[in-house]
Amino acid sequence: PCLQKKILDYFNGD
Amino acid sequence: MFELRLEQGSLLKKVMEAIKDLVNDANFDCSATGFSMQAMDSSHVALVALLLRSEGFEHYRCDRNISMGINLANMAKILKCAGNDDIVTVKADDGTDSVTFMFESPTQDKISDFELKLMDIDSEHLGIPEAEYDAIVRMPSAEFARICKDLSSIGDTVVISVTKEGVKFSTRGDIGTANIVCRQNTSVDKPEEATIIEMKEMVSLTFALRYMNSFAKATPLASQVTISLSSDLPVVVEYKIAEMGYIRFYLAPKIEE
């Protein structure tokens, strides 16, 4: 079982 | 007023084909630097960043920064109407809610213009930090596309592992498993056929193949693809666009729960 990470877990809004 | 002219209009067609299935709507930002776009897919798992530098256009005028909200499927429909050899001009006047695409045949005997309505898109612009990657793989883009296509007939996810042996693409599914190893190969006659692996640390990450196959639609833009991997970052799959810029796809990994 793998959890799909989200882009927002790594990059933040300016 | 904003206006750009690109003699190699097929390039814009290829850009749209590369991103239209990944992103629905996006803001295209026009500034003195160039024509750029950043957008996430609807699941917020992948991000695409496009840059076409102003110097790369035959003509580029941007009196003030503007952001044009565009439905990509509709823009792709319009760009499909351009011939592969056509010269493309994109024009938007200040304060209007549309953008005009003009296509000129090389012999100037056919000139078409299409007006596309702009949309208000509420999109978040993400800051992408500069990063040092554990491993960077440069390889023929067609080879990468072939590997992603082949593996997706076996499984849904790909494990990309970089070791000193090379880069390994692995998958598993109901029918069995598959492993494809590409070794560094710089002794080719043509630089576009080389595979170059720069590794600081061994790295192994799991990604959804569906997205990799979507990124591979950018293959016609560049003979080489660069895959940058770090254990704690999204992978970057980059296609350079001639001397003008790039299209970069970021994909968040899958991790063990």
Side-chain angles (χ1 to χ4, degrees):
Chain A
C2 278
L3 173 73
Q4 174 64 66
K5 299 285 280 182
K6 304 267 183 185
I7 283 292
L8 297 167
D9 296 335
Y10 301 93
F11 303 154
N12 296 315
D14 287 341
Chain B
M1 179 179 179
F2 167 73
E3 187 174 79
L4 66 79
R5 180 178 164 90
L6 186 61
E7 286 183 7
Q8 200 187 340
S10 59
L11 205 139
L12 273 185
K13 286 164 72 89
K14 290 176 189 168
V15 166
M16 286 316 297
E17 289 306 307
I19 57 181
K20 74 177 169 58
D21 294 333
L22 191 67
V23 174
N24 298 328
D25 306 315
N27 282 315
F28 285 79
D29 298 313
C30 315
S31 71
T33 310
F35 191 60
S36 64
M37 185 276 279
Q38 187 203 84
M40 279 185 282
D41 79 298
S42 58
S43 304
H44 292 194
V45 167
L47 180 141
V48 52
L50 166 76
L51 173 67
L52 298 173
R53 292 184 198 92
S54 52
E55 311 90 82
F57 294 94
E58 278 70 38
H59 167 73
Y60 189 93
R61 176 182 166 184
C62 182
D63 297 341
R64 65 180 183 88
N65 293 359
I66 60 165
S67 187
M68 300 190 293
I70 291 177
N71 173 284
L72 297 197
N74 292 341
M75 185 168 164
K77 276 181 201 168
I78 287 178
L79 283 168
K80 267 195 175 168
C81 301
N84 279 333
D85 300 327
D86 280 2
I87 300 158
V88 173
T89 301
V90 183
K91 204 186 318 187
D93 288 320
D94 291 344
T96 58
D97 59 356
S98 66
V99 57
T100 301
F101 295 84
M102 189 171 85
F103 309 139
E104 298 166 67
S105 66
T107 47
Q108 302 282 315
D109 53 2
K110 180 180 170 190
I111 297 168
S112 327
D113 68 85
F114 296 78
E115 195 179 278
L116 177 66
K117 288 176 189 162
L118 296 176
M119 324 161 57
D120 279 328
I121 298 169
D122 190 18
S123 72
E124 191 177 14
H125 196 272
L126 300 183
I128 302 169
E130 285 288 318
E132 290 273 317
Y133 284 89
D134 293 340
I136 299 175
V137 176
R138 291 183 183 84
M139 63 187 293
S141 58
E143 186 62 62
F144 175 68
R146 174 73 197 263
I147 290 169
C148 293
K149 180 169 165 278
D150 288 349
L151 293 186
S152 59
S153 66
I154 310 287
D156 297 329
T157 59
V158 58
V159 180
I160 306 179
S161 309
V162 184
T163 65
K164 58 181 190 302
E165 305 301 321
V167 55
K168 184 167 78 168
F169 301 87
S170 309
T171 192
R172 64 172 60 241
D174 293 341
I175 66 162
T177 63
N179 296 289
I180 300 172
V181 177
C182 297
R183 294 207 173 90
Q184 172 145 302
N185 178 11
T186 54
S187 60
V188 288
D189 293 338
K190 298 174 186 167
E192 62 267 28
E193 289 172 4
T195 297
I196 299 164
I197 298 166
E198 291 170 30
M199 189 191 80
K200 291 197 184 98
E201 303 272 346
M202 286 196 292
V203 60
S204 182
L205 287 161
T206 304
F207 301 101
L209 271 168
R210 182 166 71 86
Y211 287 96
M212 289 294 180
N213 276 308
S214 178
F215 304 164
K217 289 182 179 161
T219 302
L221 282 166
S223 59
Q224 288 253 308
V225 61
T226 304
I227 305 158
S228 304
L229 299 136
S230 268
S231 51
D232 53 355
L233 283 172
V235 63
V236 190
V237 179
E238 180 183 48
Y239 296 83
K240 290 229 183 310
I241 302 173
E243 305 301 311
M244 295 187 75
Y246 56 77
I247 182 160
R248 289 178 186 151
F249 299 100
Y250 297 80
L251 179 61
K254 283 170 168 268
I255 56 161
E256 292 290 330
E257 276 190 277

